[in-house]
Amino acid sequence: MIAPLRVIARLGRYTLNGVSRTGFAARFFLAILLHSGTAFRRFGLTIREIYFAGVLSLIIILVSGLFVGMVLGLQGYETLETYGSEEVLGVLVALSLVRELGPVVAALLFASRAGSAITAEIGLMKATEQLSAMEMMAVDPVARVVAPRFWAGVISMPMLAALFSAMGIFGGYLVGVVMIGVDEGSFWSQMQAKVDFGEDILNGVIKSVVFGVAVTAIALFEGYDAPPTAEGVSGATTRTVVTSSLAILGLDFILTAFMFRGVS
Amino acid sequence: MENLVEIENVTFGYGARPVLKGINMTAKRGQVIAIMGSSGCGKTTLLRLIGGQIKPSKGIVRVAGQNVAELEQDGLYRLRRKMGMLFQFGALFTDMSVFDNIAFQLREHTELPEEIVRDLVLMKLHAVGLRGAANLMPSELSGGMARRVALARAIALEPMLVMYDEPFAGLDPISLGVIGNIIRRLTDTLGLTSIVVTHDVQESLKIVDYVYFISEGVIEAEGTAEEMRASGLPFVHQFVHGEPDGPVPFQYPAPPYAEDLGLSL
Amino acid sequence: MSRAWLDLWVGLFVVAGIGALMFLALKVGSMNTVNKADSYQVIAHFDNIGGLKVRAPVKSAGVVVGRVTAINFDDKSYEAEVTISLDKRYAFPRDSSASILTSGLLGEQYIGLEAGGDSLKLANGDRVKLTQSAVVLENLIGQFLYSKAQEGAPQ
């Protein structure tokens, strides 16, 4: 075959692979939803996974939140001071965190901390035939292994995002009020006046739930679809982090366009 | 004796590459059947067909009178509760202790109180001689112990059929003898039917009732252990006596050596 | 990890998460610097408070001496009624004047308190009579444009 033809053939093969993978992913996602009964009937299974996905991600989320908030306080002060409006520092820190940084950065951290762990775990279970063994024992691995992890991720994500935001606001307060000396009253009062519960906080929570669904589903799918070899699992882990990071940022743009269009 | 497993004229291939070409096979109740052949000849595929994890492209697989390929998920899962399977490297659940591994099916499929589960698990562990290892994690077990735990797990629900995928692979001679011994003893005492997929001829010929030799996706020979030892068929002879070259060539199919090296005259 | 520990940790996690959400939702007022006990309340009426918010600072000579605690509308005089809570440490003459000012060009609005000459001091529940409303930028620009138009009009 001549070279250009080969390129076209390869392009076609990639496209077909991509489309059929998408189809498999959709079917997999549907299967998770259909087999979610076990995850709630035997909530102990889900609690276990909340521990691994949520509780073990706490440290990185809290520490990152604190630092992000402190940086926001510092940078925000530098800029606002030029216009003599340091009082709105609280608003700047809170809105940035609640609307964007909280859900997005927490989801990115969640993808690299918990998402990669989920992929590696499921991938290894597949490579060592544990999933096959479960199937041969008449236990559906999607219901027993996959669905509890999915719901654990979906439940953990908004909690982590809220903790990230709260920690960040505290960090902004530390730098802005305690260190630099912005007026404490106006820091909080301006924040209270400008941050709306429905418009800002609730939308932030909705975002984090969507990210939770996306990251966990991607991580589970990559693990389930991983070739049962060492390279297969490590490749799948990398793909989880890359794909879910892109998905988070893409979804964030779409959600933001829907939620905050025409708002301030 | 009635047939528990019947495989009729089964053909199967992954993609375009056929793995099995028209296999006929039966396993009677209470027997230990061995399926032998060189690595990669489709032995494991055969077990997956019996377990219903894959469907044959042609032919019928029947277990206890039911056509496995035609069962819905519910029926298939009901049937699988009566099957046990020992995977090649045990496939123990790495996040559970030995005890929980064996209790897994009891807890998933029955409503038994925890004291009874405990007694049953200890009985199974005792049968494979590992009652003392109940609280170890799978990562703390040696290969032979892991295989024995997996065996205890496979018989946890007292199945009628147990399938063994390479139970002898990678074991030291003592563990080898132990595993073979347990397979024979469990089959006789529990009234099981065992299907052993292996390439370990010497060890399996000691314990099996009937042997099938598979090569290139077809059955080359079959018979009892004695018949196989005495067989004059070149393939069986090569296999049983472990000769490096014979009907199964040493060389993977390739163009002539000289031509490949550019020495064609 | 035993089952009980697992449940405990996950329980703590969920409580912390919900706590963080509550914190975000309520933006806790516990950071309030003005304590009710160490302060006294006075009332001031304004024609227009502009963008003044509850908890905005009250400053005298640039020093924060109190906070706005409530803003209401008086439907008899059609004025804004602003309740100010002042620090007990600072006493102000009764004829002090309050004006709504803006810090910087775009900054927040606060109340400036200018001391008068009366020997009697403001007490709890008193009213500040002399007030000056907020400057509303739009009105200012409107006036400016209007006067420009007047100037440029043909005689």
Side-chain angles (χ1 to χ4, degrees):
Chain A
M1 215 186 327
I2 44 174
L5 271 182
R6 208 163 23 224
V7 170
I8 293 173
R10 187 179 295 171
L11 214 66
R13 197 164 53 240
Y14 279 143
T15 313
L16 283 181
N17 274 348
V19 171
S20 67
R21 239 169 90 84
T22 313
F24 180 47
R27 232 156 38 96
F28 180 70
F29 187 63
L30 199 70
I32 295 178
L33 295 184
L34 286 178
H35 290 92
S36 291
T38 320
F40 292 101
R41 234 178 305 115
R42 292 170 57 190
F43 204 64
L45 293 176
T46 309
I47 287 184
R48 211 183 107 86
E49 301 309 329
I50 292 179
Y51 177 81
F52 287 114
V55 176
L56 294 186
S57 307
L58 263 182
I59 303 275
I60 187 171
I61 290 281
L62 292 180
V63 173
S64 315
L66 187 70
F67 281 121
V68 167
M70 284 164 72
V71 168
L72 271 178
L74 215 55
Q75 291 283 15
Y77 179 79
E78 293 285 324
T79 310
L80 290 174
E81 193 207 16
T82 325
Y83 303 100
S85 27
E86 306 92 276
E87 299 80 10
V88 292
L89 184 64
V91 183
L92 181 129
V93 171
L95 279 187
S96 326
L97 279 165
V98 168
R99 281 185 177 183
E100 289 295 336
L101 291 176
V104 171
V105 179
L108 290 174
L109 292 171
F110 184 75
S112 37
R113 168 69 185 73
S116 58
I118 290 175
T119 305
E121 192 189 11
I122 303 268
L124 273 178
M125 285 182 85
K126 186 185 177 195
T128 53
E129 294 188 303
Q130 292 181 46
L131 295 182
S132 242
M134 211 173 263
E135 229 169 70
M136 278 306 294
M137 289 182 206
V139 175
D140 187 353
V142 173
R144 181 64 172 66
V145 175
V146 176
R149 282 169 175 74
F150 176 74
W151 288 108
V154 174
I155 292 169
S156 300
M157 194 59 249
M159 308 262 172
L160 292 173
L163 284 164
F164 186 94
S165 296
M167 210 57 196
I169 291 169
F170 178 67
Y173 166 81
L174 272 186
V175 167
V177 176
V178 177
M179 275 171 56
I180 299 179
V182 172
D183 183 65
E184 181 171 352
S186 50
F187 183 88
W188 292 109
S189 67
Q190 294 275 351
M191 196 193 289
Q192 266 183 337
K194 294 276 163 55
V195 179
D196 186 71
F197 180 71
E199 204 67 67
D200 301 315
I201 296 173
L202 221 55
N203 276 343
V205 172
I206 292 172
K207 271 188 181 181
S208 61
V209 173
V210 173
F211 296 159
V213 170
V215 172
T216 323
I218 288 171
L220 287 166
F221 172 73
E222 288 293 355
Y224 209 77
D225 192 44
T229 57
E231 309 92 84
V233 174
S234 74
T237 312
T238 313
R239 263 202 312 283
T240 292
V241 177
V242 173
T243 315
S244 37
S245 302
L246 292 177
I248 290 164
L249 297 171
L251 280 171
D252 182 51
F253 173 73
I254 295 170
L255 289 173
T256 308
F258 269 110
M259 288 171 170
F260 300 111
R261 193 168 44 190
V263 179
S264 58
Chain B
M1 271 187 293
E2 87 183 278
N3 293 334
L4 184 66
V5 180
E6 292 171 320
I7 295 173
E8 282 174 22
N9 202 21
V10 161
T11 300
F12 179 81
Y14 293 105
R17 191 173 64 95
V19 180
L20 301 172
K21 298 172 232 169
I23 299 276
N24 284 293
M25 199 177 274
T26 55
K28 295 186 168 62
R29 279 187 198 274
Q31 272 191 329
V32 179
I33 303 287
I35 301 170
M36 290 190 213
S38 38
S39 311
C41 71
K43 295 171 302 200
T44 306
T45 307
L46 210 50
L47 291 190
R48 287 161 63 85
L49 281 166
I50 297 172
Q53 286 186 308
I54 48 178
K55 291 187 165 74
S57 36
K58 246 188 282 169
I60 298 174
V61 178
R62 245 187 246 108
V63 178
Q66 286 173 293
N67 184 342
V68 175
E70 281 176 0
L71 290 172
E72 291 295 311
Q73 177 153 334
D74 279 353
L76 189 59
Y77 274 15
R78 256 198 306 283
L79 183 63
R80 281 184 188 164
R81 285 184 204 185
K82 291 180 243 162
M83 294 183 192
M85 177 138 174
L86 177 69
F87 282 82
Q88 190 161 358
F89 296 104
L92 294 175
F93 302 130
T94 39
D95 55 344
M96 296 179 200
S97 69
V98 166
F99 183 95
D100 291 333
N101 259 285
I102 295 164
F104 183 79
Q105 287 191 83
L106 294 166
R107 288 178 181 153
E108 292 288 328
H109 292 316
T110 66
E111 303 283 323
L112 293 174
E114 200 55 28
E115 305 89 70
I116 298 182
V117 170
R118 183 176 174 277
D119 292 350
L120 286 172
V121 170
L122 291 183
M123 276 164 60
K124 304 297 173 203
L125 274 174
H126 189 77
V128 296
L130 287 176
R131 196 158 36 81
N135 291 321
L136 297 182
M137 293 304 282
S139 53
E140 298 169 293
L141 301 175
S142 70
M145 282 161 84
R147 211 68 62 87
R148 281 198 267 167
V149 172
L151 187 49
R153 188 179 67 174
I155 57 166
L157 280 186
E158 317 246 312
M160 57 184 183
L161 171 68
V162 181
M163 294 180 276
Y164 308 81
D165 190 1
E166 304 282 6
F168 305 114
L171 292 184
D172 60 89
I174 300 173
S175 304
L176 218 67
V178 169
I179 294 279
N181 217 324
I182 293 175
I183 292 174
R184 183 75 245 181
R185 191 156 45 80
L186 288 175
T187 307
D188 294 342
T189 53
L190 297 177
L192 302 171
T193 306
S194 294
I195 299 180
V196 183
V197 155
T198 180
H199 50 235
D200 193 307
V201 186
Q202 301 312 328
E203 204 52 49
S204 48
L205 282 183
K206 284 186 216 158
I207 59 164
V208 299
D209 297 311
Y210 206 79
V211 185
Y212 291 92
F213 273 98
I214 297 185
S215 174
E216 315 246 317
V218 295
I219 293 183
E220 287 281 336
E222 58 181 286
T224 60
E226 288 74 42
E227 286 169 10
M228 286 302 109
R229 281 207 189 86
S231 172
L233 282 168
F235 172 79
V236 177
H237 191 267
Q238 185 195 357
F239 209 91
V240 172
H241 298 279
E243 289 158 359
D245 211 351
V248 179
F250 170 69
Q251 288 288 346
Y252 190 80
Y257 194 32
E259 195 180 298
D260 243 12
L261 295 178
L263 301 175
S264 50
L265 301 169
Chain C
M1 174 83 46
S2 83
R3 183 68 193 274
W5 274 106
L6 213 72
D7 285 356
L8 182 71
W9 271 108
V10 172
L12 278 177
F13 170 63
V14 172
V15 167
I18 290 173
L21 270 175
M22 295 288 282
F23 166 77
L24 292 180
L26 303 173
K27 278 290 181 304
V28 280
S30 62
M31 299 295 181
N32 203 338
T33 47
V34 179
N35 199 326
K36 269 264 157 62
D38 320 323
S39 65
Y40 60 102
Q41 322 283 320
V42 297
I43 291 164
H45 282 230
F46 293 94
D47 291 334
N48 192 332
I49 58 163
L52 189 72
K53 296 276 163 29
V54 171
R55 300 191 58 196
V58 178
K59 296 182 184 176
S60 190
V63 179
V64 178
V65 295
R67 296 216 173 272
V68 173
T69 50
I71 298 175
N72 293 306
F73 183 66
D74 181 357
D75 63 356
K76 290 189 187 65
S77 60
Y78 302 109
E79 284 176 334
E81 186 189 79
V82 177
T83 311
I84 298 167
S85 123
L86 294 170
D87 198 316
K88 266 231 169 82
R89 286 176 295 169
Y90 310 121
F92 287 91
R94 290 188 59 170
D95 61 346
S96 298
S97 67
S99 38
I100 298 180
L101 303 169
T102 308
S103 59
L105 188 59
L106 302 164
E108 55 149 3
Q109 289 188 302
Y110 65 96
I111 290 182
L113 210 55
E114 196 112 341
D118 205 316
S119 55
L120 285 168
K121 302 294 180 192
L122 279 171
N124 198 21
D126 279 357
R127 183 173 156 187
V128 179
K129 292 191 188 68
L130 289 169
T131 61
Q132 193 191 341
S133 288
V135 174
V136 178
L137 205 60
E138 288 89 332
N139 294 352
L140 214 66
I141 293 169
Q143 272 171 14
F144 174 73
L145 287 178
Y146 185 69
S147 63
K148 274 285 174 202
Q150 287 285 342
E151 269 174 36
Q155 301 297 311

